[in-house]
Structures are given as C-alpha cells and as structure tokens.
Amino acid sequence: MHKKPRKAVFPVAGLGTRFLPATKAIPKEMLTVVDRPVIQYAVDEAVEAGIEHFVFVTGRGKGAIEDHFDLAYELEATLKARGKTAEIAQLEVTRPAAGAASFVRQQEPLGLGHAVWCARDIVGNEPFALALPDMLIHAPRGCFAQMMDVYARHGGNIIAVEEVPREHVNRYGVVALAGDLGNATHRISGMVEKPKIEDAPSNLIVSGRYILQPEIFAKLQTQKPGAGGEIQLTDAMVALMAGQDFYSYRFEGTTYDCGDKIGFLAANVALALARADIEPKFRPILEKLSKR
C-alpha cells in the first residue's frame, strides 16, 4: 500500500503579463472559462481525485483567489433572501471545507521550483499532488483521478505527459523513457527543461500534473538556478530520480494552455460546446462566424 496524497499544491503567484491589461487588477487564475475561473477547474479535478487540503502559493495582488474560495456571506444571504437556491448550491460546491485551504506567499518570482518549496511546511512529510492551473485538462475523468490509479499500482513519483510536435519541445519540460509498464505508463530515466529541439530525448512533455514525494523539498532547498535563472522543479526531480522511481502517465483528455491567449480561447469554445445548456445556441453562432 502506498500512502495516498491528501494535499494538492497550486502555484498561483504568476503575474499573467501575457493577458495585460486584463490581469492588471485581476489574477490571471481568476479569468473565466465559460462561467468558472481557471483555478476552479484545477481544484475540482483535485477534489474528484480525493484531495482533502488545498495549498495555494500566491503573491501580491492575488487576494481575489482567497475570496473566491471563502464564504461570501453578504452574497449568499442576499441569494437566500431571494430564494435563489440553485445559485447558492453553485457557490457551496466550489467552497472547500473550513480549514481545508491554505495560502502562502512566494514573495519573489524565483521559479516554479521555488514556489513548490514555499509549500513545504504545509505539505509536511507526505506525498502530494501538484497542479499548474494554467494547464486546463478537459477529460471525462479528471487527470488526477487517473494518476491516482497509477500511483496505487506503482507508488513513487507520477508525472502526467502528452505528445507535442517535435518542433515545440523547446517550450516545455521533456521526459526520457526507460521501460513500458503498460496502461500508458512508463518508467522515466531522465528529464530536461526546455531543451534544444535536437537535444530533446523525446516529444513527450510534462503536462502540469504531478504526484510527488516529500523528499523533493530537500532537493529544492539546495537547488541552484537553472533555465531562465530560476529554481526549476525539473532539475530537482532529476536529482531526486537518483534515489526514487519516477513514472510517466499518458492521460486521457485534452490540455488547454490557459496562460496563452489562443489556448484560453480554445478552452472557452471547447468547454462551452461540451455543455448541454450552452451548445445548442452557441454552435450556430460559431458556424456563422466561421463563414465570415
């Protein structure tokens, strides 16, 4: 039996400069895909997988995220007085239980690895899930829930991966595979952050979902800056790989990079078309626009 992860870490301290001026006063994680903030999709995915505690690594100007996951007393009281039971139910299902959400500040933009390290005292000495909220994964069954099945079989560290065109590998963390274990799972022999196209060990990229063992924090503690002058999570994982097993899992689902304008727009269209209450009226509009 492998100790099941109970906590998930969400790095949400980024400035969102690619979405200025929209993100001047609104955290990029609070931009909406259809009718929910981007961050809500990642949290819902974690909830589906059985995660009990949610750790948000924030920065200055991110208070709206805390407010979103808090009780909005005045709003809910007004809705209750007006008999808006459906709207109240929508709010209730998005709110973690009391004490189930923690917020810690990164303070300096020193990279993803540093952001994860900032959550060390809250996570403690236990395995944890890590989600990059910009990467919205749309799937019939959540990516984390799929990864929990892999973790139950193998333990260790699980990395969600997907294929990209070879010419795009220099934008991502890329894995090298050592052996096929079946069920879309491979043992990982190496990883590299944003390699040159000719140096990439594969075209399988890290997709923003991880299950990691707590020993990663000790590696991050001493990790020197890597690509971009930042503390890279990939470098720490490579160091941890010397003593622990890492596995890749090619999940079922589609990833939309909501940190990019095109990915964000695509996510809105795809998820709107997946909604029975929206698709019948929305699809004809899209078809009309496509003919212009």
Side-chain angles (χ1 to χ4, degrees):
M1 293 292 291
H2 307 290
K3 187 175 182 180
K4 183 179 178 180
R6 300 184 308 111
K7 300 176 182 178
V9 175
F10 304 89
V12 291
L15 297 175
T17 54
R18 285 184 287 179
F19 279 89
L20 286 171
T23 50
K24 178 181 178 181
I26 300 171
K28 65 173 182 174
E29 297 83 9
M30 291 301 296
L31 297 177
T32 55
V33 172
V34 187
D35 55 4
R36 287 189 291 169
V38 171
I39 184 64
Q40 186 69 59
Y41 289 92
V43 170
D44 290 346
E45 185 185 318
V47 170
E48 180 189 359
I51 295 297
E52 303 169 10
H53 194 107
F54 312 92
V55 184
F56 301 90
V57 182
T58 70
R60 291 179 61 82
K62 298 285 184 168
I65 297 175
E66 294 189 40
D67 291 341
H68 175 71
F69 290 106
D70 198 0
L71 173 67
Y73 176 78
E74 297 85 353
L75 173 60
E76 295 193 25
T78 300
L79 292 173
K80 185 176 180 180
R82 296 177 180 177
K84 302 285 189 178
T85 55
E87 288 80 359
I88 292 173
Q90 285 182 315
L91 294 177
E92 289 178 344
V93 298
T94 63
R95 186 171 65 243
S102 298
F103 298 84
V104 59
R105 284 203 174 187
Q106 186 179 8
Q107 298 179 327
E108 296 181 83
L110 298 178
L112 174 59
H114 182 261
V116 174
W117 178 76
C118 288
R120 65 197 182 283
D121 289 337
I122 301 174
V123 172
N125 189 32
E126 57 182 285
F128 64 100
L130 169 65
L132 308 189
D134 281 356
M135 308 304 284
L136 193 161
I137 298 178
H138 187 218
R141 184 167 179 247
C143 182
F144 269 144
Q146 298 177 48
M147 292 172 70
M148 287 293 189
D149 292 344
V150 179
Y151 181 78
R153 290 193 294 269
H154 300 288
N157 301 267
I158 314 296
I159 312 297
V161 300
E162 61 183 304
E163 283 190 278
V164 297
R166 186 81 186 184
E167 59 269 23
H168 294 168
V169 293
N170 59 339
R171 306 175 187 176
Y172 306 97
V174 180
V175 301
L177 305 183
D180 188 347
L181 302 175
N183 298 306
T185 306
H186 288 76
R187 193 178 297 275
I188 295 177
S189 59
M191 280 181 278
V192 60
E193 185 68 26
K194 298 180 180 178
K196 294 181 180 179
I197 294 173
E198 60 271 21
D199 296 334
S202 74
N203 68 332
L204 288 173
I205 65 162
V206 178
S207 297
R209 298 294 186 274
Y210 314 73
I211 295 175
L212 298 171
Q213 297 298 321
E215 288 78 12
I216 192 71
F217 294 121
K219 301 300 181 183
L220 290 168
Q221 175 83 33
T222 57
Q223 187 64 55
K224 294 182 179 180
E230 298 181 335
I231 304 299
Q232 295 291 344
L233 178 64
T234 299
D235 294 339
M237 290 192 294
V238 170
L240 185 58
M241 202 177 297
Q244 289 191 2
D245 292 327
F246 275 74
Y247 305 94
S248 70
Y249 173 65
R250 295 178 68 177
F251 59 92
E252 296 181 10
T254 303
T255 302
Y256 299 97
D257 182 358
C258 290
D260 171 81
K261 293 184 181 72
I262 299 301
F264 178 75
L265 292 171
N268 270 280
V269 172
L271 272 68
L273 291 176
R275 289 268 296 266
D277 60 328
I278 295 176
E279 187 271 342
K281 293 182 179 180
F282 185 50
R283 186 178 294 277
I285 295 172
L286 285 179
E287 292 173 352
K288 184 176 180 180
L289 289 172
S290 69
K291 294 177 182 178
R292 289 186 179 179

